[in-house]
Amino acid sequence: MTEAPGVLHRAACLLRILAEGGVSGMRLTELAEAIALPRPSVHRVLRSMVEERLLDFDARSKRYTLALALFELAARAGNRMGLRQICRPVLLRLTESLGETLFLLVRDGYEAVCIDRSTGPFAIRSFTGDIGGRVPLGIGQGAMVMLAFLPQEEQDEVIRHNLPRLRELDGTDEATLRAELAQVRRAGHCGRAFGIIPGQTGLAVPILDREGRAVAALSIGSTIEHLTAERSGIIATLMKAEAAAVAAQINPFDPVLRRASAAMEIAAG
């Protein structure tokens, strides 16, 4: 029993070293040097970790790598709450405090999908409609803010694919769209009044993963009269704080962030 904490500590150190060492793995000698312990001691720990399926060992290259079982464990550990469960109290809280209709959208390829909403006191129509509604990335505040916070290569591909639909819906051109995306990224939110639904507007902030890529968006739908410039600044600040708190809880293995069909199944449940 007295040796267990030392073994556990060594195993944890070896996992961290291998995680930082890259996908090609490391040899026993390299690991022993990195952890500053005798090779026999390190070898015993490594052998036990292989037996427990925490590590893989390639007999030909003599290299140890992280095993797939580790990722399975990580998925289960992070799967206590999905994005929709995390965001539900956020939507309700913001609707109560702001008196606005809130939407939660996720990206599905070239589109944004609404997977949850909390209805405020005003009658609001939105681009996505109700839960399950879709809109091309680049139309509506939520879809625009997600497009703005994609890596450049992905953003370019979405623009190439969606531009004909965007021209048809609101007459936008590529130069105008790219200028608006740059402005949204600088501001950290989208508050553009699109004009497709007369008298209505909105504001959206991105929910970012650890690489800074938008995986979802929090969006409000409101009227032009109600969402004044003064209120917009305050609301944007509040929503950014909520989005940052949600981002810190995101499980990268959440199926809602990986395919829209799973998102719809969870939303329907």
Side-chain angles (χ1 to χ4, degrees):
M1 295 297 293
T2 57
E3 187 182 1
V7 172
L8 179 60
H9 175 72
R10 292 173 185 178
C13 289
L14 289 168
L15 287 174
R16 295 189 187 98
I17 292 168
L18 284 166
E20 295 171 0
V23 295
S24 60
M26 298 175 69
R27 295 174 181 267
L28 170 61
T29 302
E30 297 172 310
L31 290 166
E33 291 177 357
I35 202 172
L37 287 172
R39 288 174 57 186
S41 299
V42 176
H43 184 255
R44 284 194 295 271
V45 178
L46 291 171
R47 186 173 58 193
S48 296
M49 295 171 74
V50 170
E51 291 174 355
E52 294 296 329
R53 298 177 54 243
L54 299 176
L55 298 180
D56 289 328
F57 176 67
D58 187 329
R60 186 174 60 178
S61 67
K62 307 296 184 185
R63 290 180 176 273
Y64 293 87
T65 56
L66 299 179
L68 183 61
L70 279 173
F71 297 96
E72 295 171 355
L73 289 172
R76 292 173 184 173
N79 203 31
R80 292 186 294 271
M81 292 183 68
L83 178 67
R84 190 168 182 265
Q85 288 86 351
I86 294 170
C87 288
R88 186 62 185 166
V90 174
L91 300 184
L92 295 174
R93 182 165 58 249
L94 288 173
T95 292
E96 177 67 23
S97 64
L98 301 176
E100 305 285 3
T101 295
L102 267 290
F103 301 88
L104 173 63
L105 299 99
V106 296
R107 179 192 175 193
D108 182 30
Y110 300 108
E111 297 180 314
V113 184
C114 177
I115 65 169
D116 203 1
R117 67 177 286 170
S118 174
T119 304
F122 299 100
I124 295 295
R125 290 186 297 151
S126 73
F127 301 111
T128 54
D130 209 334
I131 295 172
R134 291 172 173 269
V135 68
L137 290 176
I139 287 290
Q141 292 82 9
M144 176 68 84
V145 83
M146 279 194 282
L147 181 57
F149 282 86
L150 291 181
Q152 191 62 55
E153 185 175 344
E154 290 184 45
Q155 187 183 100
D156 291 343
E157 171 61 19
V158 172
I159 291 173
R160 182 196 65 76
H161 185 274
N162 282 1
L163 194 58
R165 299 175 69 188
L166 302 184
R167 286 199 191 101
E168 182 180 344
L169 286 168
D170 71 352
T172 193
D173 60 78
E174 183 172 355
T176 300
L177 176 62
R178 288 187 181 276
E180 290 176 347
L181 290 170
Q183 172 58 33
V184 168
R185 194 169 182 103
R186 285 193 297 270
H189 69 276
C190 179
R192 171 189 175 193
F194 287 81
I196 296 179
I197 303 177
Q200 295 189 188
T201 186
L203 189 149
V205 299
I207 298 174
L208 307 177
D209 64 14
R210 293 174 184 175
E211 284 72 46
R213 173 191 284 102
V215 294
L218 291 174
S219 177
I220 66 169
S222 186
T223 64
I224 293 175
E225 294 79 10
H226 193 234
L227 191 61
T228 63
E230 293 77 10
R231 290 190 78 239
S232 292
I234 297 171
I235 289 173
T237 299
L238 293 173
M239 291 179 65
K240 287 176 185 177
E242 294 281 10
V246 169
Q249 302 175 66
I250 284 178
N251 167 23
F253 297 93
D254 186 347
V256 171
L257 303 179
R258 301 172 71 84
R259 57 187 180 91
S261 58
M264 289 301 95
E265 290 170 8
I266 292 173

